[in-house]
Amino acid sequence: MINRISPIHIIGGGLAGSEAAWQITRAKVPVVLHEMRPERGTDAHNTDGLAELVCSNSFRSDDATANAVGVLHEEMRRCGSLILAAGDAHKVPAGGALAVDRDGFSTAVTEALEQEPLVTIERGEVVGMPPKDWDSVIIATGPLTSPSLSKAILDLTGEDALAFFDAIAPIIYRDSIDFEKAWFQSRYDKTSEGGDGKDYVNLPMDNVQYLAFIDALITGKKTDFKEWEESTPYFEGCLPIEVMAARGPETLRYGPMKPVGLTNPHNPMVKAHAIVQLRQDNALGTLFNMVGFQTKLTYGEQTRVFRTIPGLENARFARLGGLHRNTFINSPRLLDKHLRLRSMPRLRFAGQITGVEGYIESAAIGLLAGQFAVAEHKGQSIEAPPITTGLGALLGHITGGADADTFQPMNVNFGLFPPPPIPEGKRKIKGRDRKLAYATRALNDLDRWLGSMHDTQEASE
């Protein structure tokens, strides 16, 4: 029997670890949250704040009626998520997406956990395997797990390391953008709460400019990889811009540079061949990041190449792009349905290290790991959320739904959900009606799951 007085230890103060800590303390169970920064830094972090966003500032779509990510947002809100509460409190205009002021967001999460009496934050690296007297441990070290802990995990599991590169997009100062060429508009004038349908800066290119830009991306000098990194695959959802460009000259025009849904007020009769979009990155609106422009170009080449984009000739960069190595375990083979390591059940895993991809997906697995750890700590039984929910679909995928032999990181999407039932009298449901059916069922099933959890908790107290 687990000592019910002992705290639950969480290793890693990113989104997953912070969310797990919050969920645990809501159940009146103490937590020790171990974060190695600033005692030991990483190649991607700039601060010692909890839940620091190191790549984009976007949590992606917030549409809970037609998008799996938006459904997951709403599910987490209903579960009392700290990450969603902080995100909602520090949102910046981003059309139909939920984007946040990264500094305000991290500060809010850090302050919430620092002010929680049941949370003890210990700064410093956990070297190697967690001590044996830590009865319940959640490892939420994310894509930048320290070498010593990585080695300990691999020694314990006997699995070969799995890794890929994640690429970071540059950030530009708004006052260095030429608005004689650029303009504000959301694609199809779509608005978000607090937005006005003009949440993005748009930079148009004609055919000649576009082809010259593609050539510059492909031929530009890239960051050199270490020998052991050369065979590491990229995650398809976060490819460097030059990798996409190398797949064919039209690839970017059907990806992040698609010119649809936008009209250039400076020249409304001429349709752009391609468009670069910048998204607001902070609450003040002084910083904008290049949407989809993760890159492995060297710093000098980034400045040279990106200043060839019309409107960015004099761009000043608050941050240039870069790469960091991302590691994850083979969760379908190694973890049980409650995120415990099969070979050592006192250890749970959460966040990107489990093979989910994305801020919200990482926080979602942290939320579940925290709830599972609490139930075990209190001697309660707990069912996993239904696979018809975003939480359950993600959990099911990484703990058995995916093929362990070909396992790769995955964002939440409706392809992970069972198909919705077809209404009587219809042969099939399509388009937005199908998405709405997924979303409606997910939120209804989540509410039932939350109700059953509440009844179980009341019965055991």
Side-chain angles (χ1 to χ4, degrees), residues 102-407:
R102 64 179 72 232
D103 292 332
F105 168 79
S106 175
T107 297
V109 174
T110 303
E111 289 180 350
L113 292 172
E114 285 179 340
Q115 293 168 10
E116 169 53 58
L118 288 171
V119 174
T120 301
I121 300 175
E122 292 193 357
R123 299 285 182 168
E125 182 182 358
V126 176
V127 179
M129 190 56 56
K132 292 181 179 179
D133 61 346
W134 293 6
D135 296 320
S136 181
V137 181
I138 297 173
I139 297 175
T141 45
L144 301 172
T145 301
S146 67
S148 64
L149 183 55
S150 294
K151 184 178 185 304
I153 293 168
L154 293 172
D155 289 345
L156 176 64
T157 62
E159 290 290 310
D160 292 334
L162 299 174
F164 61 95
F165 286 110
D166 218 356
I168 299 172
I171 294 177
I172 295 170
Y173 290 100
R174 172 179 170 168
D175 62 8
S176 69
I177 301 168
D178 182 0
F179 282 96
E180 293 296 318
K181 300 176 181 178
W183 75 95
F184 279 97
Q185 186 186 5
S186 298
R187 206 177 296 280
Y188 301 109
D189 299 314
K190 191 170 184 178
T191 61
S192 63
E193 184 180 345
D196 56 6
K198 300 179 180 180
D199 297 343
Y200 293 80
V201 173
N202 300 281
L203 309 164
M205 287 185 179
D206 61 27
N207 183 52
V208 173
Q209 292 166 330
Y210 174 76
L211 291 177
F213 181 67
I214 295 300
D215 182 66
L217 288 175
I218 293 172
T219 60
K221 186 177 180 180
K222 316 298 192 300
T223 302
D224 291 329
F225 291 158
K226 297 176 183 178
E227 181 178 350
W228 60 268
E229 296 173 323
E230 291 178 352
S231 62
T232 303
Y234 295 107
F235 172 58
E236 285 291 322
C238 201
L239 287 172
I241 192 76
E242 60 276 1
V243 172
M244 287 189 278
R247 292 183 172 181
E250 294 295 291
T251 302
L252 291 177
R253 291 189 65 240
Y254 288 89
M257 295 178 66
K258 57 181 178 287
V260 300
L262 299 162
T263 301
N264 184 351
H266 306 303
N267 197 354
M269 301 303 293
V270 177
K271 184 176 180 180
H273 187 72
I275 287 178
V276 174
Q277 285 198 308
L278 311 180
R279 180 179 56 233
Q280 185 174 330
D281 200 75
N282 66 342
L284 294 175
T286 56
L287 300 176
F288 280 74
N289 66 57
M290 302 181 72
V291 178
F293 270 65
Q294 302 86 358
T295 182
K296 62 175 181 175
L297 289 170
T298 63
Y299 284 176
E301 287 291 81
Q302 288 181 51
T303 301
R304 180 184 70 83
V305 173
F306 294 152
R307 282 180 178 167
T308 68
I309 298 171
L312 296 186
E313 292 88 347
N314 299 303
R316 291 182 291 110
F317 296 89
R319 184 191 72 191
L320 288 165
L323 291 173
H324 60 269
R325 184 174 180 269
N326 197 342
T327 56
F328 59 99
I329 63 172
N330 194 324
S331 294
R333 184 168 288 142
L334 299 177
L335 302 184
D336 70 11
K337 297 295 185 182
H338 289 114
L339 299 167
R340 292 173 297 204
L341 190 65
R342 296 179 190 277
S343 60
M344 188 176 287
R346 73 184 178 95
L347 303 183
R348 276 187 172 81
F349 285 79
Q352 278 189 258
I353 197 170
T354 66
V356 294
E357 178 61 25
Y359 292 142
I360 290 303
E361 289 88 339
S362 297
I365 299 302
L367 184 153
L368 290 175
Q371 292 189 354
F372 291 155
V374 162
E376 184 177 57
H377 204 71
K378 292 187 171 184
Q380 299 171 344
S381 62
I382 183 172
E383 293 295 328
I387 198 171
T388 52
T389 66
L391 288 166
L394 269 180
L395 179 68
H397 179 74
I398 64 173
T399 59
D403 184 343
D405 292 333
T406 59
F407 183 58

